[in-house]
Amino acid sequence: MSSQATTMKISDLADNTGEWLRGTGPESDIVISSRIRLARNVARFPFLSRANVKQKKELEEIIRDKIKDSDISQDLCYLNLADITPVDRLFLVERHLISREHAGGEGERGVAFGKSETVSLMVNEEDHLRIQVIRSGFELKEAWKTIDEIDNKLEKKLNYAYSSRFGYLTACPTNVGTGMRASVMLHLPALGMTHHIEKVFNAVMKLGLVVRGLYGEGTQVSGDLYQISNQFTLGKSETEIIEIIESVIPRITSYERMARKALVSESREQLEDRVWRSYGMLKVARLISSEEIMHLLSQVRMGVNLGIIKDIEMKTLNELFILTLPGHLQKLEGRELNSTQRNVIRASYVRKRLEK
Amino acid sequence: MKCESCNKKHATVHLTEIVGTVKKERHLCEECAQSINTHLTKIPSPTEILTSLINQVAPEINEMSKIVCPVCGLSYLEFRSHGRLGCAMDYTIFRKGLIPLLEKMHSSTQHVGKVPSRAGKELIKKNELMQLRSELNKAVEKEDYERAAELRDKIYELSGDNDED
C-alpha cells in the first residue's frame, strides 16, 4: 500500500474513471453497476459517536496497518481524509470511493482504494470499517465473492465486534446482522417517461428492497439513475439477500426494455427527436447545469442503447455522468469554481469529449 | 365569583351536572372541586399525557429510560433520540428495548449470515467445553473418578489458551 503525495494521486484520477463505469458486464445497457458494502467494527473499542480523539486515532492506525498487512491488493493507496481539501473529498464522494457522511465527518479517518477503484475501504466512517466493492454491470455474485474474500483476510487480523444472536454489531441497528448493503444501479429512462416507474417501486418495496438516488440514502434521483438495495440486514444470510435482488433485477430490466420498445413503435419520431436534441445540446451548449446534464446524458444513453446514435461509446457516456460533477470539474481545473463557472466549464468539457 | 362550597376562594372550576332531567351548574375552587367530585376523572398533567403516549407507541422506552451503558456511557434515551449506539455492549445492555426495534426494522432478531472464523472457533470451543463439563458432572455423580480426572484434564487443556475461561 503506497502513501504517495496525495494531491498528485487525486489529480491523476481526475481525467479517468473507475473500472465499474466502463459499461461492460451483464445487462450493462440498463444495469450500470453492482455494489456491495460491509459494515464492521473492531471489538473492545466504542463506536465512533462515543469514541474520543485518542481512540479514533488509535483505531485509524490499527485498521490502516491491518489493511496494509492483509495483502488485499498490491496497489492499494491510502488517503487520510483529514489531510485533504474539501474539494478532494467531494471528488472522492462523486467517484463512490467514500460516502457523503465520511467526507463530512470529523477527526482521523481515511480511505484505501485500488487503481481500478473496484475496492474501497473506509476507515472511521459511521462504523470503524466499511468495505466496498463495485463492479460494472449486473454482477452482484462476483462482487460478493470479492468482498467476502477481503473480509476473511481482514478478519484474521482484526477482532470484529460480533455476537451469535445479532451478527456483526454496527453503530446503527439498521445495519446489524450481515452489515451488508447490496445495491444495483439502474438506468430507467423509458419507465420514467411512460410513468411506470412508481409501479416498479411499489413492487420492489414489497420485497423488502429500497429505491434510492445516485448517491444513496437521502439523495435525489437524477438522470433516471436509481439504486435498488436491501433494507433488511438481519435474519437473512448474505447470499439470500443477494438472491432476492438478483431475482428482481431481470424483471425490472425487461420491463424497461418493453417500455423502450413501446416508445419506439408508438412514437418513434418524438423519441428520436428527443434523443437527437439532447445530443445536439451536449455538443453545442455553452452553459449546462448539473441537473440539466444528467437529463441530457440520460436521453443520449438511451438513444445509444436503442441504436439511434451510433458514434459514441457507452463508456464515454457513463464516464460523463461522473466527470461533469462539481468536484471533478474543480479538480480538472485545479481551482475552486462557483456554480456559473462550473456550468461554463462543464459545457466546454462535454463539447471537447464529444468531439473526440 | 366565589366558590360555592368554601365561599373563600375564587371559583375556577365550573361544572355542569345533569341528574335525570335536572341540569345543575356548580362553581367551585380547585381544592373543593377535587375533594367533592371524587368521581370526576382527574385531568392528567402534560407529563402524564406524554408518558401514556410513549407507553402506547413504544412501551419499552419508559421502562428503559433510566438505563445507561456502563461501558460507553450512552443512555437508552440518547440512543432513541439519535438512533446510533455507542458500543458493542449496548446490544446487551439495551437488549430489551432493541429486540422490538429490530423486529420492526428487519422482521427478525436472529442473525443467520456469515460467522467470523474467529468467533466460530470460540463458539465451537464454548460448546465443546459445555459438553465436557456436563460429562464431568455425570462422572462425579457416578463416582467414576478416573473418567472425571480425564475430563478435568481435557477441560484444562481446552480452556488453557483462552483467558476468558
Side-chain angles (χ1 to χ4, degrees):
Chain A
M1 188 162 72
S2 70
S3 50
Q4 294 171 33
T6 56
T7 40
M8 190 203 87
K9 273 273 169 199
I10 294 182
S11 315
D12 283 353
L13 299 174
D15 206 16
N16 268 302
T17 54
E19 220 171 81
W20 59 274
L21 272 168
R22 63 178 190 250
T24 56
E27 311 235 30
S28 56
D29 55 334
I30 294 168
V31 185
I32 306 239
S33 63
S34 303
R35 169 180 165 270
I36 297 185
R37 76 114 168 95
L38 296 175
R40 299 289 187 251
N41 286 282
V42 181
R44 295 189 182 88
F45 274 92
F47 296 151
L48 289 157
S49 64
R50 303 297 288 187
N52 59 35
V53 176
K54 198 177 147 240
Q55 287 166 320
K56 275 189 193 172
K57 191 166 169 46
E58 209 179 323
L59 274 165
E60 198 255 349
E61 283 170 5
I62 294 173
I63 302 171
R64 184 190 45 192
D65 286 348
K66 300 297 177 193
I67 292 174
K68 211 170 169 180
D69 289 348
S70 53
D71 178 37
I72 294 167
S73 164
Q74 293 285 312
D75 66 350
L76 278 190
C77 91
Y78 185 86
L79 296 177
N80 188 322
L81 295 187
D83 293 345
I84 63 173
T85 64
V87 171
D88 283 342
R89 292 199 287 265
L90 176 62
F91 174 87
L92 295 172
V93 170
E94 290 171 356
R95 286 183 99 84
H96 292 261
L97 289 169
I98 64 173
S99 64
R100 276 177 194 273
E101 295 71 34
H102 202 203
E106 275 173 18
E108 292 296 324
R109 62 201 195 284
V111 60
F113 56 89
K115 242 188 206 152
S116 62
E117 297 176 40
T118 39
V119 174
S120 111
L121 300 112
M122 286 168 250
V123 180
N124 286 356
E125 205 248 19
E126 183 183 283
D127 294 295
H128 298 157
L129 175 66
R130 292 246 172 132
I131 315 168
Q132 176 189 269
V133 168
I134 310 187
R135 297 185 68 105
S136 182
F138 186 31
E139 291 209 300
L140 269 186
K141 274 213 176 92
E142 287 301 309
W144 167 246
K145 222 178 121 196
T146 314
I147 207 166
D148 189 32
E149 273 167 27
I150 295 171
D151 187 46
N152 287 343
K153 280 180 185 169
L154 283 169
E155 181 213 288
K156 283 187 189 133
K157 313 265 175 186
L158 287 166
N159 196 2
Y160 288 151
Y162 179 88
S163 94
S164 51
R165 172 74 189 264
F166 299 127
Y168 293 92
L169 304 176
T170 52
C172 184
T174 51
N175 295 316
V176 78
T178 57
M180 184 182 84
R181 193 81 56 207
S183 60
V184 171
M185 204 204 293
L186 300 168
H187 182 225
L188 305 172
L191 288 176
M193 278 162 72
T194 54
H195 307 290
H196 285 311
I197 201 85
E198 291 293 323
K199 278 188 218 160
V200 174
F201 293 167
N202 290 336
V204 158
M205 275 187 271
K206 278 182 195 142
L207 290 160
L209 302 177
V210 210
V211 185
R212 299 191 172 104
L214 178 57
Y215 285 93
E217 211 168 336
T219 60
Q220 248 194 321
V221 168
S222 59
D224 302 299
L225 295 172
Y226 302 88
Q227 281 199 71
I228 292 184
S229 56
N230 60 304
Q231 185 175 16
F232 308 136
T233 54
L234 188 64
K236 284 196 170 62
S237 73
E238 291 82 355
T239 22
E240 279 176 297
I241 294 170
I242 288 167
E243 273 164 15
I244 293 173
I245 302 178
E246 287 216 307
S247 68
V248 172
I249 300 300
R251 281 188 260 164
I252 303 177
T253 52
S254 64
Y255 198 12
E256 166 70 19
R257 285 198 191 94
M258 265 165 55
R260 288 182 187 184
K261 247 189 211 160
L263 281 174
V264 171
S265 66
E266 284 160 26
S267 45
R268 179 158 199 114
E269 287 80 11
Q270 282 96 321
L271 181 72
E272 286 187 350
D273 183 64
R274 262 177 108 145
V275 168
W276 282 112
R277 273 173 189 268
S278 297
Y279 194 27
M281 204 79 103
L282 288 173
K283 281 180 151 177
V284 299
R286 258 53 187 168
L287 282 173
I288 310 180
S289 72
S290 51
E291 191 50 44
E292 188 184 7
I293 199 151
M294 292 298 249
H295 172 71
L296 297 175
L297 287 170
S298 170
Q299 300 286 310
V300 173
R301 195 179 187 279
M302 180 174 59
V304 173
N305 279 329
L306 289 172
I308 298 170
I309 297 174
K310 292 190 174 76
D311 63 343
I312 176 168
E313 269 185 76
M314 191 52 79
K315 182 173 179 275
T316 313
L317 276 175
N318 282 354
E319 285 181 352
L320 283 175
F321 274 105
I322 305 289
L323 295 173
T324 56
L325 289 166
H328 274 74
L329 292 176
Q330 294 180 72
K331 220 44 224 164
L332 275 174
E333 281 295 295
R335 63 190 170 105
E336 281 190 36
L337 304 166
N338 65 32
S339 94
T340 318
Q341 290 168 324
R342 289 203 297 268
N343 293 349
V344 174
I345 301 214
R346 181 176 293 117
S348 95
Y349 181 73
V350 173
R351 285 201 311 274
K352 246 186 262 160
R353 284 292 298 248
L354 294 180
E355 270 166 22
K356 277 178 195 171
Chain B
M1 188 190 287
K2 286 213 169 144
C3 169
E4 290 177 6
S5 176
C6 61
N7 249 326
K8 283 174 197 159
K9 286 191 183 157
H10 195 69
T12 50
V13 180
H14 309 280
L15 299 165
T16 308
E17 259 184 308
I18 298 169
V19 183
T21 52
V22 187
K23 187 172 139 191
K24 195 176 162 195
E25 278 187 19
R26 304 191 68 181
H27 308 282
L28 302 161
C29 71
E30 206 162 321
E31 254 172 57
C32 295
Q34 287 280 341
S35 58
I36 290 169
N37 294 288
T38 43
H39 66 283
L40 285 179
T41 338
K42 205 181 141 225
I43 299 155
S45 69
T47 338
E48 283 169 318
I49 296 174
L50 256 178
T51 318
S52 83
L53 259 178
I54 288 172
N55 273 334
Q56 267 176 34
V57 181
E60 90 285 356
I61 290 186
N62 205 19
E63 205 187 327
M64 301 283 300
S65 65
K66 286 181 187 74
I67 297 179
V68 174
C69 172
V71 178
C72 70
L74 184 80
S75 75
Y76 185 74
L77 285 183
E78 279 175 288
F79 157 60
R80 286 308 301 258
S81 65
H82 299 115
R84 297 286 181 279
L85 290 160
C87 72
M89 192 50 86
D90 292 351
Y91 279 94
T92 311
I93 306 288
F94 303 149
R95 192 185 180 101
K96 206 168 177 186
L98 269 169
I99 296 245
L101 265 186
L102 293 172
E103 185 66 52
K104 249 186 243 167
M105 282 172 191
H106 303 282
S107 309
S108 168
T109 63
Q110 177 63 55
H111 176 60
V112 291
K114 193 171 173 176
V115 178
S117 62
R118 202 186 287 241
K121 249 188 237 163
E122 287 194 358
L123 273 182
I124 294 163
K125 203 202 275 182
K126 224 176 172 177
N127 290 345
E128 215 173 313
L129 274 171
M130 262 163 52
Q131 181 73 31
L132 287 171
R133 282 190 186 120
S134 96
E135 273 183 52
L136 177 67
N137 283 339
K138 273 181 211 157
V140 171
E141 268 170 35
K142 277 195 241 164
E143 298 184 5
D144 181 353
Y145 295 110
E146 207 177 319
R147 174 80 184 131
E150 227 174 81
L151 287 165
R152 181 204 56 202
D153 290 347
K154 264 195 191 170
I155 291 170
Y156 278 153
E157 199 186 322
L158 203 69
S159 54
D161 57 311
N162 185 352
D163 50 29
E164 277 168 33
D165 265 289

